[in-house]
Amino acid sequence: MYYTSMPEIIEKQLKTLPLSPGVYFFKDGKGVILYIGKANKLRSRVQSYFRSAAELSDAKKIMIKRITSIETTITSNEQEALILESIMVKKHKPHFNVSLKDDKSYNFIKIDYRYPRPVVTTVRRPEFDAGRSRAKYFGPYTSGGTLYENLRILRRIFPYRKKPKEPTVFEQELMKKRSLGPIPQTDGEYKDMIARLIRVIEGDTDDVIRDLKTRMQVLAGSKRYETAASVRDQIRNLELIQSRQKVMSARGGNQDVVSIFKKDDQAAVNVFVIRAGKLINKLNFLLQHAAGETVAQLVDVFLKQYYSEASNTPRELVLPVRTTLSGGDIAALAQERATGSISISVPSHGKKRNLIKLGEENAKEYLEQSHASWERAADQALRGLKDALKLKELPNRIEGYDISNIQGKLSVGSMVVFVDGKPDTNEYRKFKIKTVKGADDFASLAEVLKRRFSSHKETKWPNPDLILLDGGKGQLATVIKAFDNELPLNNKQFIALAKREEEVFQGASLKKINLDPASSAGRLLQRIRDEAHRFSQKYYHTRHAKAETKSILDDVPGVGPKTKKLLIRKFGSVSGIRNADKDAIIQLVGEAKTKTLLENL
């Protein structure tokens, strides 16, 4: 029924999980959250992952083997679970959850009501924004350039303030010259103007134009011809904005049309935001960790994350495939931002289906452009390194090295490999330090590099174009000296990157290289250095955890290698043994050993 290699503590937890709705957290041996999900019945949903016949993606199969504990949070109903799941995924960003890439960089319009005349600005992280309780947010907008250009035009029509301070005389005169509408004279007039601005942002431009035409007639009837003329200019410019918006529905539909294009482990999303029958926005997103996920699963993930932040909801959601979510679920995610009931349609033909296909083409183009952009950035970085280091060839294969230990114990080394500016994890290697005693990172790096090149013929690893050491002059000098003038590469192909000032040193002369840390080349070196550090730390913690388990059980009288092997195979870790049922331990090793074991643990 279940995987046979599952630790007993997990098997026990699976039987005792609640049948209530809620959120579950899968964690590894270090307490790191691997995955977060929600369920109407927690026990049934969580158990489904561990069944032998479960159809899991390759990534999820790896995840299952790493789970050592399960935590749950019970909620009153499934919609509460949905909201909590969305909040927790956004907060923790677990490795095995599909998530929006670079979601911290999306822009939002903020209207801050803490002041008599509300201030209009842009922010990137509304959840951490000051004064959030007295502000309204609109977005997300994935194109910052388009957003700023639209706001520039809107500010000429609706002359809003961008900062809380009273404008200077110069700023007031400048606003009068640039404004295409009347300048509000009172706080009340200003707030009326902000209300119209919000309606335009939300796509209700037709209603705003009708209101302004009525106002213009009233002003003209009151012989306030100059103000009436300013309102007329507002109307003309709003009509100009409207004319640029593509008509998507003659019936004035209020829809979000979601399309997804998936290729290998990458996926892109396109959203057509249609209000009053006109396309007011086109949004594109990238989804990461999408390997092995179906389009239906990706749609579910996207809807949860997007509508937990989107400033308003449509009356109709048009999707390429069926979703497990209801219109009520979407409204619950949006909370007070929901503008009414939401229907969901999955068209198989007709205009809506054509919109889905058009969105898929846009998503495909966005994914291809993103790939091209990544490749251009990598190429630019490699060319920058070649020029700065005066290398003969582009450093297409760069190897990064780091050492990790605590007070010299269980010292390990790492080798990470970047090919064409991108990590090639299949080429990563780990080293146990064998000849160096104590905390000597310099000598440990030298040992790792000598072993890497001495086994070159057996391993058939290709020669790197550049070697990057995590450290400064000391590490670089020690490594070069260790080869006794028999360097396997030109000494200029050895560099070190010091953390404090991000200084780069090169070759036997330890020459300091003038490389801007903020340049694409500088950032690539930092990324390789940080990846080597991460990989060595991960290997060290793995060794440390095994050694800790080994030493604790070694100190228990009467527990020999065979008993220790049985215990670890059954319960997974020392923690698993501590938490295991006493009868289960007795059944495995007998009552006498169990008593001794529990007394010592």
Side-chain angles (χ1 to χ4, degrees):
M1 184 178 179
Y2 296 122
Y3 287 111
T4 54
S5 59
M6 181 171 46
E8 184 170 307
I9 187 171
I10 296 292
E11 195 167 349
K12 183 179 177 182
Q13 277 188 293
L14 291 177
K15 294 174 183 177
T16 58
L17 288 172
L19 287 168
S20 314
V23 174
Y24 54 90
F25 303 78
F26 292 154
K27 293 185 175 184
D28 67 11
K30 300 172 194 171
V32 175
I33 298 173
L34 301 172
Y35 185 81
I36 298 172
K38 61 93 183 171
N40 190 30
K41 292 182 179 179
L42 282 167
R43 187 189 303 173
S44 302
R45 180 69 185 106
V46 174
Q47 284 181 348
S48 70
Y49 284 95
F50 294 87
R51 298 189 192 282
S52 302
E55 294 183 4
L56 300 174
S57 65
D58 290 340
K60 290 292 193 300
K61 288 175 183 176
I62 293 170
M63 176 190 77
I64 291 298
K65 293 177 182 178
R66 290 173 57 182
I67 296 171
T68 60
S69 67
I70 302 167
E71 292 182 8
T72 60
T73 300
I74 296 172
T75 59
S76 301
N77 52 58
E78 194 171 7
Q79 283 191 350
E80 277 188 19
L82 180 69
I83 295 168
L84 180 60
E85 177 201 29
S86 174
I87 292 169
M88 291 293 103
V89 168
K90 197 183 304 180
K91 178 181 179 180
H92 296 288
K93 296 191 179 300
H95 178 73
F96 289 95
N97 280 89
V98 179
S99 60
L100 294 179
K101 185 176 175 64
D102 299 329
D103 60 340
K104 295 177 185 177
S105 67
Y106 301 143
N107 291 278
F108 291 79
I109 298 171
K110 173 187 177 182
I111 300 182
D112 195 338
Y113 286 92
R114 288 181 294 172
Y115 311 101
R117 297 200 174 192
V119 174
V120 182
T121 56
T122 60
V123 296
R124 290 187 184 274
R125 301 292 302 279
E127 65 268 33
F128 298 126
D129 188 43
R132 177 170 171 78
S133 61
R134 297 191 60 190
K136 282 188 176 181
Y137 299 88
F138 303 88
Y141 295 89
T142 53
S143 172
T146 302
L147 171 61
Y148 297 135
E149 175 61 20
N150 289 341
L151 284 177
R152 186 186 67 80
I153 296 169
L154 287 173
R155 195 174 184 225
R156 296 192 70 193
I157 301 171
F158 303 104
Y160 58 79
R161 291 186 179 182
K162 295 199 288 186
K163 54 187 180 181
K165 292 181 180 178
E166 286 292 322
T168 64
V169 174
F170 173 76
E171 287 171 334
Q172 288 176 358
E173 290 301 315
L174 191 63
M175 182 65 78
K176 287 177 183 178
K177 288 180 180 178
R178 290 180 173 175
S179 178
L180 300 171
I183 306 292
Q185 299 303 308
T186 66
D187 290 351
E189 289 179 358
Y190 184 91
K191 287 176 181 175
D192 288 342
M193 181 196 73
I194 291 294
R196 294 189 191 97
L197 171 65
I198 289 173
R199 287 160 66 190
V200 171
I201 290 171
E202 292 181 333
D204 295 333
T205 311
D206 284 337
D207 289 342
V208 173
I209 289 173
R210 279 194 292 271
D211 288 350
L212 288 174
K213 284 180 177 178
T214 302
R215 186 175 179 228
M216 181 178 66
Q217 291 169 358
V218 171
L219 289 168
S222 303
K223 297 184 179 181
R224 295 171 61 186
Y225 299 119
E226 188 175 338
T227 307
S230 294
V231 174
R232 179 202 62 207
D233 292 342
Q234 274 187 311
I235 293 168
R236 286 177 177 174
N237 282 278
L238 284 173
E239 288 174 338
L240 181 62
I241 289 175
Q242 268 196 325
S243 68
R244 294 172 181 169
Q245 294 172 340
K246 185 176 180 181
V247 176
M248 307 295 275
S249 170
R251 298 179 182 178
N254 185 323
Q255 303 163 318
D256 284 355
V257 182
V258 178
S259 304
I260 289 185
F261 177 79
K262 183 173 183 286
K263 184 178 181 182
D264 301 326
D265 62 343
Q266 300 285 334
V269 183
N270 184 88
V271 182
F272 289 134
V273 181
I274 301 168
R275 298 295 182 266
K278 296 183 178 67
L279 178 65
I280 67 165
N281 208 351
K282 180 179 83 72
L283 304 172
N284 290 117
F285 304 88
L286 292 174
L287 293 174
Q288 54 188 0
H289 311 316
E293 304 292 330
T294 65
V295 171
Q297 290 169 327
L298 294 177
V299 166
D300 277 4
V301 168
F302 175 75
L303 295 180
K304 291 175 192 176
Q305 295 187 34
Y306 176 70
Y307 286 106
S308 67
E309 290 192 350
S311 56
N312 65 12
T313 55
R315 294 193 187 96
E316 182 185 17
L317 189 55
V318 184
L319 302 178
V321 293
R322 294 193 180 279
T323 174
T324 61
L325 306 177
S326 66
D329 291 334
I330 302 297
L333 284 166
Q335 298 180 21
E336 73 276 0
R337 292 169 280 109
T339 53
S341 60
I342 304 165
S343 65
I344 297 178
S345 63
V346 184
S348 58
H349 60 277
K351 290 183 178 179
K352 291 179 184 178
R353 185 63 197 172
N354 290 337
L355 282 176
I356 292 284
K357 290 180 179 178
L358 181 62
E360 287 173 357
E361 291 174 13
N362 276 268
K364 179 182 179 182
E365 182 183 2
Y366 181 67
L367 186 61
E368 290 173 349
Q369 287 176 350
S370 298
H371 277 297
S373 175
W374 298 332
E375 288 171 0
R376 283 196 302 272
D379 184 66
Q380 182 182 7
L382 294 176
R383 291 186 183 281
L385 282 176
K386 178 177 179 289
D387 294 341
L389 300 173
K390 294 182 171 52
L391 301 173
K392 293 181 180 179
E393 305 290 341
L394 281 178
N396 292 314
R397 180 185 170 99
I398 304 175
E399 294 179 1
Y401 293 86
D402 188 30
I403 301 297
S404 184
N405 62 67
I406 294 179
Q407 298 179 337
K409 295 180 179 178
L410 303 173
S411 191
V412 298
S414 68
M415 167 181 132
V416 300
V417 180
F418 277 55
V419 176
D420 297 331
K422 292 172 284 190
D424 185 350
T425 55
N426 291 328
E427 294 285 294
Y428 286 17
R429 295 294 183 269
K430 299 175 288 191
F431 298 84
K432 291 180 184 177
I433 302 304
K434 298 177 179 178
T435 63
V436 179
K437 304 298 180 183
D440 189 342
D441 289 0
F442 294 13
S444 296
L445 270 174
E447 178 191 320
V448 168
L449 266 295
K450 290 196 76 174
R451 284 167 57 191
R452 182 259 185 262
F453 284 103
S454 65
S455 60
H456 175 66
K457 292 180 181 179
E458 292 79 13
T459 59
K460 296 183 180 179
W461 293 338
N463 266 342
D465 301 302
L466 186 66
I467 284 178
L468 173 65
L469 308 178
D470 182 4
K473 291 182 178 180
Q475 285 87 343
L476 182 59
T478 302
V479 166
I480 290 177
K481 186 179 179 181
F483 283 94
D484 296 326
N485 298 318
E486 294 183 5
L487 284 171
L489 307 171
N490 186 302
N491 78 86
K492 287 185 177 181
Q493 291 173 282
F494 286 77
I495 64 172
L497 178 61
K499 284 189 178 73
R500 184 173 296 176
E501 302 293 336
E502 303 293 2
E503 292 177 320
V504 179
F505 301 97
Q506 181 183 29
S509 65
L510 308 179
K511 179 183 177 183
K512 183 179 176 181
I513 302 301
N514 184 23
L515 183 65
D516 182 1
S519 67
S520 59
R523 288 197 300 270
L524 177 59
L525 290 185
Q526 292 159 33
R527 186 183 175 198
I528 297 170
R529 185 268 316 279
D530 293 345
E531 177 67 353
H533 181 70
R534 180 199 67 79
F535 193 53
S536 67
Q537 285 278 304
K538 180 181 177 183
Y539 183 38
Y540 169 78
H541 286 303
T542 301
R543 282 200 72 197
H544 184 265
K546 287 182 178 178
E548 187 179 47
T549 300
K550 180 180 177 182
S551 62
I552 290 172
L553 291 178
D554 281 346
D555 292 337
V556 178
V559 174
K562 288 185 179 180
T563 304
K564 187 167 59 179
K565 189 174 182 180
L566 282 172
L567 288 166
I568 295 301
R569 183 182 294 170
K570 182 73 174 176
F571 302 111
S573 65
V574 172
S575 177
I577 298 168
R578 287 194 184 106
N579 295 321
D581 184 73
K582 183 178 178 180
D583 291 337
I585 304 176
I586 292 172
Q587 188 176 356
L588 186 69
V589 299
E591 192 168 346
K593 282 187 179 179
T594 298
K595 183 181 178 182
T596 306
L597 190 66
L598 295 180
E599 285 174 353
N600 283 272
L601 294 183

